[in-house]
Amino acid sequence: MGTVRVLFFSVILSPCLSLTGKLFNQDATLRLEQRDVLFDREGYLEATRSKREAAALWLGEDYDSSMVFLAADEPDDAPELPTCLLCVCLTGSVYCEEVVPEMTAVPTLPKETAYLYARYNKINKITNKDFAEIVTLKRIDLTGNLISEIQDGAFSKLTLLEELNLAENHLVKLPMLPGKLTTFNANHNQLKTKGVKANAFKKLRQLVNLFLGDNELEAVPVIPESVRIIHLQNNNITDVTSDTFCNGNNTYYVRPNLMEVRLDGNPVLLSKSPDSFTCLNSLPVGKYR
């Protein structure tokens, strides 16, 4: 059997079943063949009720007896289904991991979604419309997709977004990022310094974790004072100066928050610039000789 996906279906036909937020029997946009698919599954529901609680516990969510989970081995010619039948929708979280058939775009989300996990699919682009109406989002995880383009305003309305994970994609540049981010992960992409705007992180005053390892950066970007951990390993960084982490004009300047700096796997020889780290609590990890 192929990868098993868990699908969500409410016995009472909850609003989550509709792409528009309407009740199922009022949604004129849902094709008749999709309705047939749903109703044909009723006999299967009773046989799978005992698996509901185990699925909810596996996802780390509260179990709700009104929820029904379905194995998602659909035939290749199955009609296109609403998001909450392709994915798992639980208490504000949407799980769309390794979806079959292949997911190539960000799915339409219920408007109350706070957490989106769409890892290891084949999403290739993020547009300005994908998250425009989902202002409740706090975490987005798109690890392991094929994303090579993100339109510049794609995250502009996400004022509550705290965690954004874009690791293991094909990004060559970054869009404007939301101001309340605490964690940003773009490890294992194809980012170069010219693709990262000078103020990409400078205004993120709540940023704590910044992961940019395994890219093609030639220089260290401007790092906000709030950052505690920055990973820049395995890039093409050739130089650091007294202004990279510290303040070259102020020898008394101390940076108490920055606790971990990784520069290993870069061509820069850190011992050539010993004065560049005087403001830090510990030396960066990297090549010194």
Side-chain angles (χ1 to χ4, degrees):
M1 182 180 291
T3 301
V4 175
R5 288 176 292 109
V6 184
L7 298 183
F8 168 84
F9 179 71
S10 173
V11 175
I12 61 172
L13 299 176
S14 71
C16 188
L17 291 179
S18 169
L19 291 175
T20 62
K22 299 178 182 178
L23 291 175
F24 173 77
N25 57 7
Q26 295 176 339
D27 188 356
T29 64
L30 194 61
R31 298 198 301 267
L32 290 176
E33 59 265 32
Q34 293 176 353
R35 299 187 183 192
D36 293 337
V37 170
L38 302 184
F39 291 135
D40 287 344
R41 293 176 180 171
E42 289 182 357
Y44 183 67
L45 296 182
E46 290 298 325
T48 58
R49 285 183 184 278
S50 63
K51 300 179 182 179
R52 293 180 299 176
E53 186 169 2
L57 291 173
W58 177 75
L59 288 166
E61 301 289 344
D62 294 334
Y63 171 63
D64 184 340
S65 61
S66 70
M67 294 178 181
V68 177
F69 296 88
L70 294 172
D73 289 329
E74 298 291 343
D76 292 339
D77 58 351
E80 182 179 348
L81 297 174
T83 298
C84 288
L85 290 177
L86 287 172
C87 308
V88 175
C89 297
L90 292 173
T91 59
S93 299
V94 177
Y95 300 83
C96 299
E97 303 194 351
E98 298 183 278
V99 172
V100 178
E102 295 173 350
M103 178 177 288
T104 59
V106 175
T108 302
L109 301 173
K111 289 187 178 181
E112 71 277 9
T113 302
Y115 305 97
L116 169 63
Y117 303 90
R119 298 177 288 202
Y120 302 105
N121 290 292
K122 294 194 175 180
I123 299 170
N124 53 57
K125 182 179 180 180
I126 300 177
T127 72
N128 291 335
K129 297 180 180 180
D130 289 334
F131 302 117
E133 298 182 5
I134 317 299
V135 296
T136 52
L137 277 165
K138 295 181 179 179
R139 180 185 301 156
I140 297 174
D141 192 341
L142 296 168
T143 300
N145 279 276
L146 303 175
I147 301 168
S148 59
E149 180 184 356
I150 302 177
Q151 292 183 353
D152 214 28
F155 306 119
S156 62
K157 296 184 179 180
L158 303 184
T159 58
L160 300 179
L161 193 68
E162 297 176 354
E163 299 180 30
L164 178 58
N165 195 332
L166 300 171
E168 299 176 42
N169 279 281
H170 301 307
L171 293 172
V172 296
K173 67 176 183 177
L174 294 180
M176 184 178 297
L177 299 172
K180 288 191 176 180
L181 279 184
T182 60
T183 298
F184 178 68
N185 190 338
N187 283 344
H188 294 279
N189 276 275
Q190 299 165 21
L191 295 171
K192 295 184 178 181
T193 297
K194 64 181 180 181
V196 180
K197 294 180 180 178
N199 61 349
F201 309 110
K202 185 177 181 179
K203 296 182 180 180
L204 305 184
R205 295 183 175 88
Q206 299 180 41
L207 190 65
V208 175
N209 305 304
L210 179 57
F211 303 112
L212 298 170
D214 293 276
N215 278 281
E216 300 174 24
L217 297 172
E218 299 90 10
V220 178
V222 176
I223 306 168
E225 291 284 338
S226 56
V227 170
R228 293 179 59 85
I229 298 173
I230 179 167
H231 286 185
L232 292 160
Q233 70 276 12
N234 302 322
N235 276 276
N236 295 324
I237 298 168
T238 58
D239 189 34
V240 292
T241 70
S242 58
D243 291 315
T244 301
F245 302 106
C246 303
N247 186 339
N249 296 323
N250 183 0
T251 57
Y252 296 99
Y253 171 76
V254 175
R255 190 163 192 160
N257 292 329
L258 193 56
M259 304 300 293
E260 180 180 326
V261 180
R262 283 193 59 183
L263 285 166
D264 47 306
N266 283 280
V268 60
L269 187 62
L270 299 178
S271 59
K272 287 186 176 181
S273 307
D275 294 338
S276 299
F277 317 121
T278 56
C279 68
L280 303 180
N281 288 311
S282 58
L283 290 175
V285 177
K287 182 171 63 174
Y288 285 87
R289 60 180 181 178

